[in-house]
Amino acid sequence: MSTTGATADPLAALGSLPGVAESVESVRKAVDRVYGHRVMRRRSNEITSEAALRGARGSAALSGADWALEEVRRRTDFSGDEARVMGAALRLTAEAGQLLSIWRQSPLRVLARLHLVAAADKADQVGRPRQQGEPVDEPLIGQPLPNAAEVSGRLEGLSELIIGGSSAPALVMAAVVHGELLALRPFVSHNGLVARTAERIVLVGSGLDPKSVCPAEVGHAELGRAAYLAAFEGYLSGTPEGMAAWIAHCGRAVELGARESTAVCEALQRGAA
């Protein structure tokens, strides 16, 4: 993604790509179904908590820690490689809600904080963009890394887009933030977890999902790694078709997250959860 020579609202055009309007409308309907459920009116805090847990599980699964939900519930020890990934995902989900008010004013500060929370065990490398020559530990994404200078410039461009705002639908902004952070991998570790957390922050902060009950991470995990990577290749291509495919993939992930929380609502209504 580049903002060089861009209009005042460079994301607006993405909303008119083929199929994007339909994805946006489908997401809106899925979100509305959750928020219209009678259980949400009485027990929304429980749905939010459950969505956070399931979202963390889904994000960690994509980063190599594919645990059963009940295993996530019962575990208290998060030492060991896979467990550290799960622990990082849980910490990020808990932290995301505390950063909403800062995001629109200082997104780079939020991203630094997210990495600090995720990678607390690497004290000399956390909370800052990687420097030239530093290796990146990101097992899922194998595409070539942009150099440190490009990372810095593109992060500044992304920050300007977020601070400046856009008339583009929230889904479009969330997909671009997610895709750009995956493409840049600006930190030495945990970039996928941070990118998916940033997507969540956009969806919540935009007002599309204000109670954070439609965890896109659940959908990304359900759609699977192969589909995730194929859609991400579309983002990297920068073509209209590729960008539309990535936005549609992110939209489908939100819909599946909404479906998950609708099922939780139904279970609570039956007294089964």
Side-chain angles (χ1 to χ4, degrees), residues 115 119 122 124-126 128-139 141 143-148 151 184-191:
H115 187 248
K122 296 184 178 180
D124 60 334
Q125 295 178 307
V126 301
R128 61 160 176 80
R130 57 183 167 82
Q131 299 171 2
Q132 192 62 30
E134 286 184 326
V136 172
D137 180 13
E138 191 57 53
I141 308 298
Q143 287 79 358
L145 284 167
N147 63 42
V151 168
L184 295 179
R185 281 149 288 162
F187 304 110
V188 296
S189 63
H190 299 92
N191 290 287

Side-chain angles (χ1 to χ4, degrees), residues 44-115:
S44 64
N45 288 342
E46 292 175 66
I47 308 302
T48 296
S49 295
E50 187 65 19
L53 184 71
R54 294 178 184 224
R57 193 216 71 82
S59 191
L62 286 173
S63 287
D66 192 359
W67 292 10
L69 186 60
E70 291 310 313
E71 176 71 4
V72 182
R73 288 190 203 282
R74 75 171 187 82
R75 283 288 287 269
T76 56
D77 177 14
F78 292 100
S79 58
D81 290 344
E82 277 196 17
R84 286 193 187 96
V85 172
M86 183 61 69
L90 290 166
R91 291 193 301 273
L92 285 171
T93 299
E95 187 75 10
Q98 311 302 314
L99 299 172
L100 292 169
S101 62
I102 306 171
W103 176 255
R104 284 293 300 274
Q105 287 74 42
S106 186
L108 297 186
R109 180 181 164 196
V110 169
L111 293 174
R113 174 62 185 171
L114 291 175
H115 187 248

